[in-house]
Amino acid sequence: MCGIFGYVNFLVDKSRGEIIDTLIDGLQRLEYRGYDSSGIAIDGDKKGETLIVKCPGKVKALKEEIERLGVERSTIFDSHAGIAHTRWATHGQPMVSNCHPHRSDPDAEFVVVHNGIITNYRELKTLLLSKGHIFESETDTECIAKLFKHIYDTNLKAGFELDFNELIKQVLYELEGSYGLLVKSKHYPGEVVGTRKGSPLLVGVKTDKKLKVDFVDVEFTDQQDFSTSFNQDLMGHDNLRTSQSRAFLADDGLPMPAEFFLSSDPASVIQHTKKVLFLEDDDIAHIYDGELHIHRAKKNAGDSTIRQIQTLEMELNEIMKGPYKHFMQKEIFEQPESTFNTMRGRIDFENFNINLGGLKSFINSIKRSRRIIMIACGTSYHSCLATRSIIEELCELPVVVELASDFLDRKSPVFRDDTCIFVSQSGETADSMLALQYCLDRGALTVGIVNSVGSSMSRQTHCGVHINAGPEIGVASTKAYTSQYIALVMVALSLSNDSISKQQRHREIINGLKKIPEQIKQVLNLEDKIKQLCNDHLNDQKSLLLLGRGYQHATALEGALKIKEISYMHSEGVLAGELKHGVLALVDGQLPIIAFATRDSLFPKVLNAINQVVSRDGRPIVICNEGDDVLSNNEALATLHVPNTVDCLQGLLNVIPVQLISYWLAVNRGIDVDFPRNLAKSVTVE
Ligand code: UD1
Ligand code: F6R
């Protein structure tokens, strides 16, 4: 995930070397979030010169690049503003031109680091190109830097020399999407403006003397007469500034030496200062002359007029995981957001349209293929199983699902008119990559469903869809599963977009998808009940069965995999229809069984299987829809209710309780959930 860091020193002597080290250190504290490239922007030797160094790879590589370039380290700056970034590619591959900071022009009059997505960047880019701006990257961010220059120049031509915060307000007016943003400019030396919308940003403050105030006033534009502030002739630069809050003045009224640390994550600020101010959406932080000002364009009723400077008492480790004990737990709880991000900008919920940019020009070729082969490993394989049936139903093509290793072992025949869909979180799994090469060699069309932008799989497939779930750090895959699932459903929908006979079904599924993030939130509320269930009935068990059929077979397999890989408890996912063909022999009054009995056309058959279990003294844990009580309290060990959705999406909700069960079983057994024994996050060996 992208990370932002900025450092401003005012009346505190720092050598360029120290400034670089502070920026690099700040970036290193963001590394845990996952990224693929990094960069910094600082002042150069000549007046108004900005030095940008950036490169793909680790922050360590950036440090080496700075050394390689022989950047001079001894010049002392008593006031200086530097910005830095770690990038997790969304627009364009990880390569130097796409790394942040991005510049407005070869002179780097404005440099920008950005987290988030500018959704109208294409329109902005078209406009800026028509005004003669030359773009150097494939990113959405670059249009922000160009926009700064464009608006600055336009104002200048009209005789207005804007304050930095006035300028950013005009820029923000043009931007759509989400952002955390820092901007530095040669026209405003020693200053930084930063803002956020849907992406976090905070400011840490460090002063020698104790701060006299623990808040900063919010300055609202609509309370001031900005018609005059645009015009320097009528209202001077200084005039405007002195009228605002002076939070960091010493007792004698003189500016006091201060350092400011701006970041998307308190983890990179805490070693410098514990005094931090968290910006709210649409706040603009403007730092200059040792002062921090917070501006907002508009005051709505109820808006707070101050921002508190808080004292962070958290340890670094706590910050990285937020309120969660483990990354896995954090990632489970991120699913309302990550599933939303998978759909963002791709589903038009009003007009029931799907637009997968990465597949657009390949849709007809895929539709013309003789069959679809889905190939993956582990959890990613389960997301293929979970969606196979809806792909078959909507696309009316035969679909086979293959484990990459077995597919290769069998040297399964592949033809030029096959479409092979590869699903992988990391995009680097060796078995899946070998299978990809095998299919490429045979001339098949290859499609990737991948989380890591710029990964080998994302690069080597003909086309594909990034699931945009954000980096997954816990070894056990959770949020990638739900996002892969949604991405595959979206593929099925876009392959059948123009089928009149499928229209009703399309609408039903799209309406269902819209509600999924909110419904996942509801299921996450089961955590306390699940914790209790694990404590009361499951902690000391040796084995566990999960029963499901139809859409829920994949959920049963995925639940069993989660449970074994992190709690080390033997568990097996069983197709409920197969129970009577052997597995029933295991059932007795002791063996814990989780049965998925949510409503779909197979519901009566699942009830049958559950009854077979109950009549052999089994007491299953039933996962069913709200309002359904499949078994009485005596018959069931527990009932977990989940909201109802369209049959082909129900697995997205049903998998959440089993993710939580596996997590709590592992925690209760004292296992390091994020790093289970013998397993690695990315399996790059055969
Ligand atoms: C793209 C942007 C996304 C932005 C959106 C706005 C990138 C990486 N994505 O998303 O940030 O919000 O435009 O319109 O710039 N691909 C493969 N194999 C894979 C995965 C993807 O070849 O396994 C290819 C796709 O075919 C496509 C490109 O990578 O050419 C980007 O894919 P994706 O991010 O899914 O495209 P968009 O959703 O259009
Ligand atoms: C299970 C898990 C693994 C991966 C598998 C494939 O929690 O994480 O089973 O799903 O190793 O990895 P990717 O999706 O990166 O190809």
Side-chain angles (χ1 to χ4, degrees):
M1 204 77 109
C2 300
I4 283 182
F5 188 73
Y7 173 58
V8 180
N9 55 309
F10 175 72
L11 302 182
V12 178
D13 282 355
K14 291 282 171 188
S15 70
R16 185 184 280 120
E18 286 172 310
I19 290 168
I20 291 173
D21 293 346
T22 303
L23 292 173
I24 293 285
D25 186 61
L27 293 184
Q28 275 169 336
R29 301 277 174 186
L30 300 173
E31 284 191 300
Y32 77 97
R33 303 176 72 89
Y35 69 105
D36 48 50
S37 36
S38 60
I40 62 167
I42 52 174
D43 288 352
D45 287 328
K46 290 190 217 107
K47 191 167 181 305
E49 185 189 34
T50 302
L51 196 62
I52 301 174
V53 187
K54 47 193 194 172
C55 68
K58 295 281 155 200
V59 175
K60 196 163 162 273
L62 175 66
K63 204 172 163 182
E64 285 160 10
E65 178 67 3
I66 295 169
E67 279 163 24
R68 193 187 66 78
L69 292 172
V71 175
E72 193 277 335
R73 288 179 61 91
S74 59
T75 306
I76 301 290
F77 295 88
D78 77 333
S79 297
H80 179 275
I83 58 175
H85 191 257
T86 50
R87 172 170 186 258
W88 166 266
T90 57
H91 289 69
Q93 306 285 339
M95 55 204 238
V96 175
S97 58
N98 288 335
C99 303
H100 301 214
H102 286 285
R103 59 185 190 180
S104 54
D105 61 298
D107 273 349
E109 288 181 34
F110 292 88
V111 282
V112 174
V113 292
H114 165 225
N115 289 352
I117 293 175
I118 302 301
T119 46
N120 63 336
Y121 84 97
R122 288 203 174 87
E123 292 85 337
L124 290 172
K125 191 167 173 174
T126 309
L127 177 86
L128 290 161
L129 282 169
S130 74
K131 305 277 180 203
H133 291 268
I134 297 165
F135 280 75
E136 304 169 301
S137 76
E138 301 162 68
T139 66
D140 51 339
T141 303
E142 194 181 354
C143 72
I144 308 176
K146 306 278 193 264
L147 200 56
F148 262 93
K149 176 161 166 58
H150 177 66
I151 294 182
Y152 178 85
D153 288 347
T154 311
N155 275 288
L156 205 61
K157 254 185 229 150
F160 300 136
E161 204 176 314
L162 300 187
D163 212 345
F164 210 176
N165 88 75
E166 268 311 298
L167 178 61
I168 190 172
K169 273 182 206 149
Q170 294 196 14
V171 170
L172 293 182
Y173 191 71
E174 307 296 334
L175 297 184
E176 285 167 21
S178 69
Y179 42 78
L181 203 65
L182 292 186
V183 192
K184 142 181 185 69
S185 168
K186 74 177 216 182
H187 301 297
Y188 305 95
E191 300 187 22
V192 159
V193 284
T195 185
R196 60 160 281 176
K197 186 179 206 143
S199 190
L201 193 63
L202 62 106
V203 187
V205 187
K206 186 178 171 187
T207 48
D208 280 347
K209 293 189 193 133
K210 201 167 169 294
L211 289 179
K212 281 196 300 185
V213 287
D214 56 3
F215 65 89
V216 172
D217 291 322
V218 180
E219 298 160 31
F220 294 95
T221 307
D222 55 2
Q223 291 181 336
Q224 303 164 9
D225 183 6
F226 272 98
S227 58
T228 54
S229 76
F230 283 119
N231 189 333
Q232 291 298 301
D233 293 338
L234 296 177
M235 191 173 188
H237 217 68
D238 286 341
N239 220 350
L240 184 70
R241 289 181 165 185
T242 45
S243 65
Q244 311 305 341
S245 78
R246 289 273 193 183
F248 306 114
L249 293 189
D251 286 337
D252 52 13
L254 292 173
M256 71 172 158
E259 290 169 274
F260 299 90
F261 304 87
L262 299 106
S263 181
S264 49
D265 187 332
S268 61
V269 167
I270 192 123
Q271 82 264 34
H272 300 290
T273 176
K274 286 186 182 283
K275 295 276 177 206
V276 300
L277 179 152
F278 289 89
L279 295 183
E280 291 180 11
D281 271 356
D282 299 316
D283 279 354
I284 295 168
H286 183 195
I287 295 174
Y288 64 87
D289 293 352
E291 295 183 22
L292 163 62
H293 289 248
I294 306 293
H295 296 268
R296 283 181 79 82
K298 193 158 114 225
K299 182 164 182 346
N300 295 317
D303 279 356
S304 167
T305 54
I306 56 163
R307 296 286 173 269
Q308 290 292 339
I309 298 174
Q310 308 177 12
T311 307
L312 279 184
E313 297 299 354
M314 287 182 276
E315 292 305 319
L316 198 58
N317 206 25
E318 284 174 71
I319 294 170
M320 280 158 54
K321 293 186 187 132
Y324 303 105
K325 264 184 79 184
H326 297 95
F327 283 112
M328 179 182 176
Q329 190 189 26
K330 176 168 178 266
E331 284 154 10
I332 292 174
F333 277 84
E334 263 168 18
Q335 288 176 106
E337 202 182 302
S338 53
T339 50
F340 179 79
N341 285 339
T342 306
M343 297 185 269
R344 192 210 293 265
R346 290 164 162 172
I347 304 186
D348 174 351
F349 291 107
E350 307 227 305
N351 300 305
F352 302 100
N353 259 329
I354 302 279
N355 179 13
L356 295 174
L359 284 197
K360 229 187 216 155
S361 32
F362 291 82
I363 292 282
N364 284 332
S365 314
I366 301 173
K367 279 203 226 165
R368 277 198 303 270
S369 50
R370 164 215 304 239
R371 64 172 170 166
I372 292 177
I373 313 179
M374 303 172 85
I375 305 168
C377 307
T379 290
S380 301
Y381 168 75
H382 295 150
S383 71
C384 299
L385 283 181
T387 51
R388 172 191 193 170
S389 153
I390 191 65
I391 299 177
E392 280 178 338
E393 179 193 327
L394 292 179
C395 308
E396 295 179 350
L397 279 171
V399 180
V400 275
V401 180
E402 297 276 3
L403 280 165
S405 57
D406 185 52
F407 173 76
L408 283 168
D409 289 348
R410 292 190 342 262
K411 300 199 172 45
S412 191
V414 171
F415 305 100
R416 296 186 68 80
D417 51 3
D418 283 330
T419 292
C420 302
I421 302 184
F422 291 84
V423 182
S424 173
Q425 188 286 126
S426 61
E428 301 294 348
T429 304
D431 288 328
S432 303
M433 283 309 297
L434 288 170
L436 168 60
Q437 196 52 53
Y438 177 90
C439 296
L440 286 170
D441 291 346
R442 281 153 186 79
L445 175 63
T446 62
V447 180
I449 306 291
V450 172
N451 197 26
S452 302
V453 177
S455 59
S456 307
M457 185 175 289
S458 152
R459 280 181 284 116
Q460 289 172 34
T461 40
H462 292 109
C463 59
V465 181
H466 290 117
I467 64 169
N468 299 340
E472 197 178 60
I473 295 170
V475 163
S477 188
T478 50
K479 64 174 181 170
Y481 178 76
T482 42
S483 284
Q484 288 166 345
Y485 192 138
I486 289 178
L488 288 164
V489 172
M490 291 194 299
V491 170
L493 289 168
S494 46
L495 286 173
S496 53
N497 230 354
D498 50 5
S499 163
I500 307 276
S501 63
K502 302 275 188 303
Q503 224 174 49
Q504 201 41 42
R505 182 73 162 143
H506 262 228
R507 288 180 171 227
E508 181 192 27
I509 297 172
I510 291 174
N511 279 331
L513 283 170
K514 187 176 179 184
K515 293 194 202 128
I516 286 292
E518 202 46 50
Q519 290 180 320
I520 291 181
K521 237 184 237 171
Q522 289 173 37
V523 185
L524 289 167
N525 288 333
L526 289 173
E527 190 180 38
D528 284 343
K529 188 166 181 187
I530 286 172
K531 244 157 93 174
Q532 195 63 44
L533 171 70
C534 291
N535 283 334
D536 292 349
H537 301 291
L538 300 179
N539 282 349
D540 303 323
Q541 295 287 351
K542 291 214 157 36
S543 184
L544 193 151
L545 283 193
L546 294 99
L547 284 187
R549 69 187 293 165
Y551 288 109
Q552 301 318 315
H553 181 215
T555 320
L557 293 176
E558 174 56 9
L561 177 62
K562 286 289 91 87
I563 289 170
K564 45 189 157 207
E565 74 173 316
I566 58 162
S567 74
Y568 312 156
M569 184 199 280
H570 170 256
S571 63
E572 217 179 305
V574 178
L575 190 70
E578 280 292 290
L579 196 59
K580 54 187 175 297
H581 299 294
V583 183
L584 209 49
L586 288 174
V587 176
D588 58 14
Q590 310 303 318
L591 179 75
I593 296 177
I594 298 176
F596 295 98
T598 38
R599 292 269 172 180
D600 60 24
S601 62
L602 299 174
F603 183 64
K605 293 188 174 177
V606 176
L607 288 192
N608 245 340
I610 291 179
N611 284 327
Q612 287 172 24
V613 168
V614 173
S615 58
R616 276 146 191 98
D617 295 333
R619 285 186 67 205
I621 297 161
V622 180
I623 296 181
C624 59
N625 287 132
E626 284 156 357
D628 271 342
D629 275 313
V630 171
L631 290 178
S632 70
N633 284 346
N634 289 341
E635 290 169 325
L637 207 53
T639 302
L640 299 172
H641 288 108
V642 296
N644 186 234
T645 177
V646 190
D647 52 4
C648 63
L649 304 179
Q650 189 70 52
L652 288 163
L653 304 179
N654 292 7
V655 78
I656 311 283
V658 281
Q659 290 175 345
L660 286 169
I661 289 174
S662 70
Y663 173 77
W664 281 106
L665 275 179
V667 170
N668 293 343
R669 292 174 167 215
I671 293 166
D672 184 351
V673 181
D674 287 330
F675 301 99
R677 68 186 178 202
N678 310 337
L679 297 175
K681 182 68 190 156
S682 180
V683 186
T684 49
V685 289
E686 273 179 77

